[in-house]
Amino acid sequence: MDAMLKSNPQDQQMGNHSGQETSPWASGFGMKMEAITPFLGKYRPFMGRCCQTCTPKSWESLFHRSIMDLGFCNVILVKEENTRLCYFLWSLEQHIPTSSDVSQKIMENTGVQKLLSGRAPGGAGEGQAPDLVMKEVQRILGHIQATLCPFLLRLFSWALLWFLNRLFLNVQLHKGQMKMVHKAVQEGSPLVFLSTHKSLLDGFLLPFVLLSQGLGVVRVALDPRTCSPALRTLLRKLGGLFLPPEANLSLDSSDGILARAVVRAAVEQLLVSGQPLLIFLEEPPGYPGPRLSALGQAWLGLVVQVVQEGIIPDATLVPVAIAYDLVPDAPCDMNHGLAPLGLWTGALAVFRKLCNCWGCNRRVCVRVHLAQPFSLQEYTINARSCWGNRQTLEHLLQPIVLGECNVVPDTEKEQEWTPSTGLLLTLKEEDQLLVRRLSRHVLSASVASSAVMSTAIMATLLLLKHQKGVVLSQLLGEFSWLTEETLLRGFDVGFSGQLRCLAQHTLSLLRAHVVLLRVHQGDLVVVPRPGPGLTHLARLSMELLPTFLSEAVGACAVRGLLAGRVPPEGPWELQGIELLSQNELYRQILLLLHLLPQDLLLPQPCQSSYCYCQEVLDRLIQCGLLVAEETPGSRPACDTGRQHLSAKLLWKPSGDFTDSESDDFEEPGGRCFRLSQQSRCPDFFLFLCRLLSPILKAFAQAATFLHLGQLPASEASYSEQLFQFLQDCAQEEGIFECADPNLAISAIWTFKDLGVLQQMPSPTGPQLYLSPTFASRDNQDKLEQFIRQFICS
């Protein structure tokens, strides 16, 4: 490994000048990019098992331990010699089904026929001639989909394969995960892929991957906001589906009723024919707003409705995650939403990307993850039993923030930021709740199973530990440590190979956000660029947050518990003296869980908050931060005997800890803990706290801004005001990771849920007002202090 650092004479001459900026490929790394061999590690955790609580039969039937050893394949690697002719022959070998009577089958659908005969509202019986309704149905159907064009699909597949090989180093897929999906296909139910959404390229890449693995042409539910009309026309012939704008009209609108009936008929025909469907559960990248997609929930609601009405017996849901080293089309300016991509604009973007990639070794790696498929019918039956009472954040947290109450209510938080569409509102209220929780459950599973890429690990280290710079040799050691910690927690990484090769690859991808300086000893110093560079590193580091989320919540909760006892700048030994009772830890963890948005935490709906609190506490003990304090005469902490359980609890389900009887699980006085005094604990504790620092600091600054903002104002206007304030604070304090428009929006929505801000109608549209409760500066200060107790400086 030391030989890799030997420099050529020119590099050595450059190194004589201390602090001179250099580049990773001219810095004496001495290794070519081809030496990086991702996904060849001896052991990797197999992620993506479905929920054993909600889908126990699927958990057993669609998995076998032997598939864990099948390894990875590079989807874009054609084994013959890589020539254009080879790519073209590959595209000819793909099976593309053709059907010319799809439109006729949709027209014969029962719901459409009722509209044509005037037996349903919005149809021919309401002053419209049947011929006019027929033309309107055909127009709406043409907006939704088009007949597949096999020649265009083969040509596009050939061009896409050629393009992906020049854009990406590899696109990796676990063969065992693919075997699970093929096994699910044999059961006869149509496949519905529910995916995360990292890039606009996902809508092309994922169908290509699934087509190459023998699953046929996948229909993709796309967002019309991301495409121009010309591009939508092309994408429909390639398998794209678009929701007509009339589908979101009011429930009593005749145009809305007609459009929703046609959309439902199209989905029915698609599922009955057995074609796979791809739905994105996240909003398109670059669009500020809620994480869960309203459009994705609308399409998923149609699938649920078709299954519940018995039109098909069942559907198989497959969570999908995709991870990039760097997102290819990430916008440079996240402050404004992306404009729709036009046909010529897209072609020009592809041309520019190819020009940038020509002769360049800085191509990114991609990992596609297919989680374990599960039955929608099974989930529907079992999930309803996990629903309990919920309350708003205002009822749960506001009395505690204001000091009016110390007891946390024994109920779950109700928080829904994703707006309801017309298609979802047509469902029963119980089915709407089912769709919302199903989408959150699947997205949580997808995010948890996504691989951690090298750029996320490097960005996290630079942002949280080395904002002032770090010597490369030390950075390599910490990179290896953080990789090990990730794997030990059951999360996979999207890379492998020699350490210095990985560092070269990662730093070359982050070249716009870091500076490499050669010092007089010949080593390199890596320094993050201040300003927007830190904001970008913060976004990349968020990809690592799910790995350490439980420990990060626990560490911030401990910080909040110690805030009133020990000065934050006090020595670690002084903080370790304090006894932390289990009841106090539970309460503090619960407060932080209520404060943090569900879009960040993505808790599984079948898991109660008290179960999550126990999981957080267990993680803190397992990672060595907390040590149980055993007082003389007490039962040892390692004694797991059940003699202290009351008889009335022996029959309770494992997840039912949500009533007052749960106190019977605790020993008299509760167990106590201390912070561990191991030498590694202070740094690790600080690392965990800083993972949540960006969002907590943004919330605290939003509380400070309450008396500075101009209210009443529209939500968009107030978001711009708050974001500008975050940027000003970043310039003054150097905390650029908080200057993110999405954090500003999250803070405003959280404050609305908390009752700090109120939205009232007005002639110019909804306006935000400061609630009477928080109009006083004293209560604003209480809110800021409540948030800042969890922040570790």
Side-chain angles (χ1 to χ4, degrees):
M1 291 290 259
D2 294 336
M4 300 176 194
L5 283 179
K6 291 183 179 179
S7 311
N8 56 42
Q10 294 178 351
D11 289 338
Q12 292 175 352
Q13 186 176 3
M14 291 174 58
N16 293 332
H17 303 282
S18 176
Q20 183 170 353
E21 184 174 348
T22 183
S23 61
W25 45 89
S27 59
F29 275 39
M31 293 298 291
K32 296 181 179 179
M33 269 297 300
E34 288 76 14
I36 297 178
T37 315
F39 307 106
L40 294 181
K42 292 182 179 179
Y43 169 76
R44 292 186 180 279
F46 189 86
M47 306 180 302
R49 298 296 302 274
C50 62
C51 179
Q52 196 171 8
T53 301
C54 300
T55 52
K57 293 181 180 178
S58 300
W59 191 85
E60 293 178 356
S61 62
L62 296 176
F63 176 79
H64 192 274
R65 296 193 64 85
S66 62
I67 69 175
M68 299 169 61
D69 303 323
L70 293 180
F72 294 84
C73 64
N74 184 6
V75 178
I76 61 174
L77 176 64
V78 178
K79 294 184 180 179
E80 293 80 10
E81 184 179 359
N82 288 344
T83 63
R84 288 190 295 269
L85 179 59
C86 179
Y87 291 166
F88 183 70
L89 291 177
W90 174 89
S91 67
L92 292 178
E93 293 174 356
Q94 304 308 309
H95 174 66
I96 299 177
T98 58
S99 178
S100 58
D101 60 347
V102 173
S103 298
Q104 183 62 32
K105 290 180 180 179
I106 294 176
M107 298 299 293
E108 295 173 355
N109 179 271
T110 304
V112 176
Q113 285 296 314
K114 287 182 179 180
L115 289 169
L116 294 177
S117 63
R119 288 177 292 142
E126 297 189 355
Q128 300 186 60
D131 292 343
L132 294 177
V133 177
M134 174 75 76
K135 290 181 180 179
E136 184 65 13
V137 169
Q138 292 174 342
R139 184 193 66 79
I140 294 173
L141 187 57
H143 188 102
I144 299 171
Q145 65 181 28
T147 303
L148 296 178
C149 179
F151 171 76
L152 193 59
L153 272 167
R154 297 186 192 280
L155 181 64
F156 184 78
S157 298
W158 165 74
L160 186 60
L161 179 60
W162 184 86
F163 172 68
L164 294 177
N165 272 280
R166 279 145 186 82
L167 182 62
F168 299 132
L169 189 65
N170 50 52
V171 178
Q172 297 288 343
L173 176 68
H174 197 287
K175 290 185 283 188
Q177 296 169 359
M178 200 65 243
K179 186 172 182 179
M180 285 194 302
V181 176
H182 282 297
K183 187 176 180 180
V185 171
Q186 296 173 2
E187 296 193 354
S189 299
L191 295 179
V192 180
F193 296 92
L194 303 171
S195 176
T196 59
H197 205 358
K198 303 298 181 185
S199 163
L200 295 178
L201 192 62
D202 295 348
F204 303 100
L205 177 60
L206 291 177
F208 171 83
V209 169
L210 299 174
L211 175 66
S212 68
Q213 299 303 306
L215 293 177
V217 178
V218 179
R219 292 286 190 161
V220 187
L222 297 170
D223 193 330
R225 295 176 298 174
T226 62
C227 310
S228 68
L231 185 57
R232 289 200 295 267
T233 301
L234 173 63
L235 294 178
R236 287 188 197 101
K237 295 182 179 297
L238 297 174
L241 299 174
F242 293 94
L243 204 62
E246 297 89 349
N248 288 320
L249 295 176
S250 61
L251 298 184
D252 57 354
S253 167
S254 59
D255 291 339
I257 294 172
L258 182 63
R260 288 188 286 269
V262 177
V263 171
R264 180 182 165 176
V267 173
E268 283 183 20
Q269 193 279 328
L270 177 71
L271 296 176
V272 169
S273 64
Q275 294 184 66
L277 173 64
L278 172 61
I279 299 172
F280 291 106
L281 291 181
E282 287 183 308
E283 284 288 352
Y287 284 91
R291 184 170 188 174
L292 276 167
S293 168
L295 186 66
Q297 288 187 349
W299 286 104
L300 182 57
L302 289 170
V303 176
V304 170
Q305 191 176 19
V306 170
V307 172
Q308 286 197 332
E309 294 185 1
I311 297 171
I312 58 173
D314 198 1
T316 302
L317 305 184
V318 186
V320 181
I322 185 166
Y324 299 88
D325 277 336
L326 282 181
V327 177
D329 55 359
C332 298
D333 184 12
M334 293 287 291
N335 308 342
H336 302 91
L338 296 177
L341 184 64
L343 195 57
W344 295 110
T345 308
L348 182 60
V350 170
F351 177 75
R352 286 177 177 172
K353 182 63 68 173
L354 289 175
C355 291
N356 293 336
C357 295
W358 193 266
C360 176
N361 286 329
R362 298 188 294 274
R363 293 181 293 166
V364 303
C365 300
V366 186
R367 171 77 178 271
V368 177
H369 182 94
L370 303 176
Q372 184 178 4
F374 64 93
S375 163
L376 173 58
Q377 191 71 267
E378 183 186 11
Y379 177 86
T380 302
I381 295 171
N382 294 331
R384 297 183 193 272
S385 62
C386 300
W387 296 355
N389 295 326
R390 294 174 179 261
Q391 288 187 358
T392 64
L393 189 61
E394 182 176 357
H395 288 93
L396 289 174
L397 213 55
Q398 190 184 101
I400 297 174
V401 170
L402 299 178
E404 299 171 355
C405 176
N406 290 323
V407 179
V408 185
D410 189 10
T411 185
E412 302 296 315
K413 177 177 67 172
E414 180 63 41
Q415 187 177 63
E416 187 56 61
W417 289 352
T418 305
S420 297
T421 61
L423 279 169
L424 196 61
L425 291 174
T426 58
L427 302 179
K428 300 176 184 177
E429 186 174 348
E430 185 180 8
D431 291 337
Q432 293 180 35
L433 187 60
L434 173 67
V435 172
R436 291 183 184 279
R437 297 190 177 179
L438 172 60
S439 59
R440 192 172 294 279
H441 202 301
V442 174
L443 183 59
S444 174
S446 298
V447 171
S449 61
S450 180
V452 178
M453 308 304 283
S454 61
T455 46
I457 291 180
M458 186 69 76
T460 303
L461 291 172
L462 293 175
L463 179 73
L464 304 184
K465 302 191 72 173
H466 304 295
Q467 286 196 21
K468 295 182 179 180
V470 58
V471 177
L472 180 62
S473 55
Q474 179 184 351
L475 184 61
L476 292 180
E478 293 184 352
F479 186 95
S480 178
W481 160 76
L482 195 50
T483 301
E484 279 189 27
E485 293 289 337
T486 301
L487 293 171
L488 285 173
R489 283 160 176 76
F491 286 77
D492 200 1
V493 294
F495 57 87
S496 68
Q498 294 179 324
L499 190 57
R500 294 185 183 273
C501 301
L502 290 169
Q504 177 189 6
H505 170 65
T506 307
L507 291 174
S508 65
L509 293 175
L510 297 177
R511 65 194 182 279
H513 312 292
V514 298
V515 178
L516 298 184
L517 301 175
R518 186 181 295 279
V519 295
H520 64 278
Q521 293 90 349
D523 207 343
L524 291 177
V525 175
V526 184
V527 184
R529 296 183 188 271
L534 289 177
T535 306
H536 185 83
L537 292 179
R539 293 194 192 108
L540 286 174
S541 69
M542 291 299 291
E543 300 297 325
L544 190 67
L545 182 58
T547 308
F548 295 92
L549 183 58
S550 296
E551 290 100 325
V553 169
C556 290
V558 171
R559 176 61 260 164
L561 198 54
L562 294 173
R565 307 182 187 179
V566 182
E569 64 276 3
W572 182 259
E573 293 79 7
L574 182 60
Q575 300 186 41
I577 296 175
E578 294 294 326
L579 272 180
L580 309 174
S581 74
Q582 180 172 306
N583 292 341
E584 291 175 324
L585 286 169
Y586 275 176
R587 179 182 181 276
Q588 207 70 15
I589 294 169
L590 203 56
L591 291 177
L592 185 54
L593 288 178
H594 288 334
L595 176 65
L596 293 174
Q598 287 194 343
D599 277 9
L600 174 73
L601 297 172
L602 287 179
Q604 292 189 347
C606 60
Q607 184 185 38
S608 70
S609 296
Y610 283 95
C611 286
Y612 193 89
C613 289
Q614 184 60 53
E615 179 185 333
V616 169
L617 189 57
D618 290 344
R619 289 290 187 92
L620 291 178
I621 297 171
Q622 290 169 7
C623 70
L625 281 178
L626 286 184
V627 178
E629 181 73 12
E630 297 179 3
T631 58
S634 65
R635 183 165 60 94
C638 59
D639 183 3
T640 57
R642 298 173 62 90
Q643 63 267 25
H644 288 282
L645 294 180
S646 62
K648 60 186 175 182
L649 289 175
L650 296 179
W651 58 267
K652 292 177 73 68
S654 60
D656 189 6
F657 303 131
T658 57
D659 58 27
S660 58
E661 295 171 350
S662 61
D663 294 336
D664 292 331
F665 276 98
E666 300 163 0
E667 299 178 18
R671 294 170 57 189
C672 292
F673 302 88
R674 295 185 191 272
L675 285 174
S676 173
Q677 296 301 306
Q678 297 182 28
S679 59
R680 69 176 185 87
C681 287
D683 286 342
F684 188 52
F685 181 82
L686 189 61
F687 169 80
L688 293 174
C689 288
R690 285 179 174 172
L691 281 171
L692 290 175
S693 287
I695 188 167
L696 289 174
K697 288 179 179 178
F699 281 18
Q701 291 174 350
T704 305
F705 184 68
L706 287 174
H707 71 279
L708 300 174
Q710 298 179 2
L711 289 173
S714 66
E715 186 175 297
S717 173
Y718 192 70
S719 298
E720 292 179 3
Q721 294 180 45
L722 178 56
F723 176 60
Q724 183 60 51
F725 178 74
L726 295 178
Q727 287 183 312
D728 294 341
C729 292
Q731 294 292 338
E732 294 176 6
E733 304 173 10
I735 311 177
F736 291 94
E737 57 267 31
C738 301
D740 191 315
N742 287 328
L743 293 181
I745 293 173
S746 293
I748 291 173
W749 288 353
T750 300
F751 284 5
K752 286 169 60 179
D753 292 344
L754 189 55
V756 179
L757 298 173
Q758 295 178 345
Q759 192 163 3
M760 306 289 289
S762 74
T764 58
Q767 298 283 305
L768 285 179
Y769 294 82
L770 194 60
S771 70
T773 304
F774 286 89
S776 69
R777 187 67 180 274
D778 184 45
N779 285 344
Q780 294 175 15
D781 291 341
K782 288 180 180 178
L783 174 63
E784 184 177 355
Q785 291 171 9
F786 175 81
I787 298 171
R788 289 196 180 276
Q789 68 175 323
F790 300 109
I791 301 175
C792 192
S793 57

